[in-house]
Amino acid sequence: MALTDIKIRALKPKDKVYLIADGEGLNIEVAKSGSKLWRFRYRFNGKPRILALGKYPEVSLKEARLKLVEARKAVSDGIDPGKQRKRDKQAAKLGAANTFGKIAEEYIENKMINEGRAASTIKKAKWFLELLEPVASDPLAEIKPQDVYAVLKRLEGAGKHETAKKCRSFASRVFRYAVATGRGETDPAQLLKGALVSPKVKHYAAVIDPQKVGELLRCIDEYEGAPVTRLALQIAPHVMTRPGELRRATWDEFDLDEKIWRLDEARMKARRSHAVPLSRQVLVYLAELSMFTGPEGFLFPAFHTSKKPMSENTMNTAFRRMGYTRDEVTSHGLRTTASTLLNESGLWQPDAIERALAHGDSDAIRGTYNRGEYWHERVKMMQWWSDHLDQLKRE
C-alpha cells in the first residue's frame, strides 16, 4: 500500500532498523534513532543495489517519488544511478580543486619559477592573477569567454588598455596549461583576441641624434655617483642587451680570453641563448669593474647585498640625476640608439643587427642558421660600434 504523509509521520522507531515500501522500489527506512530516510532498492547487472534519496521531511514524499522516476529511468538506460552519483560527486570535488586560481598558481610554480623565469616576470604573473580575481575561484571548466571579458573590460574602463591585453595573454597561457595537463578542454581567453582596445604603442625614450649621443656618453663618464652604477651605464651602450639582462649578469658568464659574454636561454626574453662579442672598450670597463665586484657573483650587485642584482631603477635614476627626464633617456632606450645608428650607417646587414639585439626569429630553424652566419660580422660590428661611440664622445 502506498505511503502517505500521515502514515510516514506515524512511523515509530523500533529496536532494529526497518523499511516500509511505497512501491516500485521506493522505501522509507526508519532508524533506531527515529530518523526516516528514503531508499531506492533496485538491481543492476543482476546485483542488488540501494540508492539514498534523502531524509524525510527535508525530502517530501512527492520529491522522493520524482527522484525515484529519475533513478528508474537511469537504470532502464543502462546507467547505475549509485555509481553515477559517485562520479558526479568526484567531478564536483575535482572541479572545486581545479579553479582558475589554483591552476594559475600551479602554472606560475611549474612553468615559470621552476624554469628559471626572472623574478620580475614572476611578480607580474602574480599581479595578473590578482587582477583576474573575479574568476579565480571559479572551476576552470565553467569559465566562459564572457566571464573573462567582463574582467578585462573593467580594466579597459579604468584606462588600463595595455594591462588588459597582458592579462588576457596570461589567462590564455593558464587555460592552455590546463588543456595540456588534462584539466581543461578550451582556451576561452584566446577567443577574446582582437576584442579589446589596442593600446597605443609607447616607445622607450632614446637619444638618436649623434651629437646628443656624444653628450650623453660624456655625462655618463662624468657621473659622480657609485662607481658600479657608472660602469653599468658605460657598458650598457656597447653591449646593447636589455637592462635586466645586464643587471643580472654574473662573472661566470664572461670568457674574457675569448672576449665573449654568454647568456643562458633562461635569462633571455625570447628564451634563446645569446652571445655578445666583447669589444676592447668593454674589456677595459670590465677590468675596472672587477676591482669592485669580481671575480664571482653579480657584476652589478645591489647596494645592500651582493646576493641580489642591482635594482631595475638604478640606471634610470642615475640618468635623472644627470638632468635627463624619462621622456629623454631610459636605460632600455640605449638599445634603440644602437639599432638606429647601426642601421643608418649602412655598414651592417639588418639581420646581424637584429641578432646583436637578441630579437627573436619567428622561424626557429632560420634563427639557428643566422646565429652562426652572422657571428663574424657581429664581432666586427661590435668593435666598430664601440669605436664609433668613442668618436661621438670626442666630437
Side-chain angles (χ1 to χ4, degrees):
M1 184 178 295
L3 290 170
T4 64
D5 281 313
I6 294 175
K7 289 180 179 179
I8 296 172
R9 287 195 293 270
L11 295 173
K12 303 299 181 183
K14 298 180 180 180
D15 293 338
K16 295 182 179 180
V17 175
Y18 67 96
L19 297 173
I20 301 295
D22 181 59
E24 297 186 311
L26 180 63
N27 300 268
I28 192 159
E29 177 184 286
V30 182
K32 289 188 290 183
S33 64
S35 296
K36 299 167 184 176
L37 308 171
W38 292 111
R39 297 286 189 256
F40 170 43
R41 301 171 70 87
Y42 64 101
R43 299 184 71 84
F44 193 84
N45 290 336
K47 295 182 179 181
R49 298 279 192 271
I50 297 177
L51 179 68
L53 299 180
K55 183 178 180 180
Y56 182 88
E58 285 83 353
V59 176
S60 69
L61 175 59
K62 181 179 180 180
E63 290 170 332
R65 287 170 175 168
L66 290 174
K67 289 186 176 186
L68 173 68
V69 172
E70 293 177 2
R72 287 177 61 83
K73 184 177 185 305
V75 172
S76 67
D77 291 341
I79 300 171
D80 185 339
K83 287 189 176 181
Q84 183 62 47
R85 175 179 293 179
K86 290 180 180 179
R87 284 194 290 267
D88 291 343
K89 286 183 177 179
Q90 183 63 26
K93 183 178 179 180
L94 191 61
N98 290 339
T99 63
F100 177 85
K102 289 184 178 179
I103 291 180
E105 289 173 355
E106 182 184 316
Y107 168 77
I108 293 172
E109 180 69 29
N110 291 349
K111 298 295 291 181
M112 301 186 77
I113 295 177
N114 290 346
E115 291 184 2
R117 296 293 182 91
S120 58
T121 302
I122 295 167
K123 184 177 179 181
K124 281 185 179 179
K126 291 180 177 179
W127 179 54
F128 293 145
L129 178 54
E130 288 179 8
L131 295 175
L132 291 162
E133 191 275 334
V135 296
S137 60
D138 295 342
L140 190 102
E142 297 179 8
I143 298 176
K144 306 298 182 186
Q146 55 267 34
D147 298 325
V148 181
Y149 186 62
V151 179
L152 301 179
K153 286 301 290 182
R154 280 198 287 272
L155 293 173
E156 280 194 341
K160 300 175 180 179
H161 301 296
E162 183 67 25
T163 300
K165 177 184 174 183
K166 291 183 176 179
C167 261
R168 187 212 65 80
S169 180
F170 171 75
S172 184
R173 293 196 297 274
V174 172
F175 283 117
R176 282 184 275 125
Y177 174 74
V179 171
T181 55
R183 290 168 293 176
E185 296 182 358
T186 61
D187 173 10
Q190 173 64 24
L191 301 176
L192 301 177
K193 197 171 184 178
L196 300 174
V197 175
S198 297
K200 294 181 179 179
V201 178
K202 184 178 180 180
H203 297 286
Y204 292 102
V207 177
I208 56 176
D209 177 79
Q211 183 177 347
K212 291 184 178 180
V213 171
E215 292 175 2
L216 174 61
L217 295 173
R218 289 192 292 273
C219 285
I220 291 174
D221 285 350
E222 296 167 4
Y223 181 66
E224 296 181 350
V228 173
T229 302
R230 168 179 55 80
L231 284 160
L233 295 170
Q234 288 174 312
I235 292 172
H238 293 266
V239 295
M240 304 188 304
T241 55
R242 296 174 180 85
E245 294 159 2
L246 181 63
R247 288 191 302 108
R248 298 186 184 91
T250 55
W251 285 104
D252 59 4
E253 294 175 340
F254 288 78
D255 188 329
L256 300 182
D257 293 330
E258 293 293 328
K259 303 177 183 178
I260 298 175
W261 172 20
R262 294 185 176 89
L263 293 89
D264 186 81
E265 61 183 17
R267 294 244 288 108
M268 302 302 297
K269 181 178 180 180
R271 318 312 289 177
R272 296 190 183 98
S273 59
H274 182 57
V276 180
L278 302 175
S279 66
R280 293 188 302 274
Q281 288 87 337
V282 172
L283 291 173
V284 171
Y285 289 134
L286 289 174
E288 182 182 355
L289 182 62
S290 67
M291 294 187 292
F292 293 101
T293 67
E296 58 186 27
F298 291 108
L299 271 70
F300 308 103
F303 293 131
H304 61 285
T305 174
S306 61
K307 295 181 180 180
K308 292 185 178 181
M310 174 186 289
S311 165
E312 60 184 335
N313 297 319
T314 299
M315 287 195 284
N316 283 332
T317 299
F319 284 134
R320 305 301 158 255
R321 289 175 179 172
M322 294 177 201
Y324 289 98
T325 68
R326 67 181 60 189
D327 295 323
E328 293 176 311
V329 178
T330 62
S331 56
H332 201 291
L334 296 173
R335 286 164 54 81
T336 303
T337 301
S339 176
T340 301
L341 298 188
L342 284 169
N343 278 291
E344 286 182 352
S345 74
L347 299 173
W348 315 102
Q349 295 189 61
D351 278 352
I353 298 172
E354 289 297 289
R355 187 60 59 201
L357 291 165
H359 286 162
D361 197 309
S362 59
D363 186 328
I365 296 176
R366 178 172 178 266
T368 301
Y369 175 74
N370 282 353
R371 182 172 57 199
E373 180 181 10
Y374 295 113
W375 176 253
H376 294 298
E377 181 175 359
R378 286 175 54 204
V379 171
K380 294 178 181 178
M381 182 177 69
M382 296 299 274
Q383 186 57 58
W384 179 89
W385 175 238
S386 286
D387 293 341
H388 186 60
L389 290 176
D390 282 355
Q391 181 181 341
L392 294 178
K393 192 162 51 173
R394 290 191 296 267
E395 291 177 353

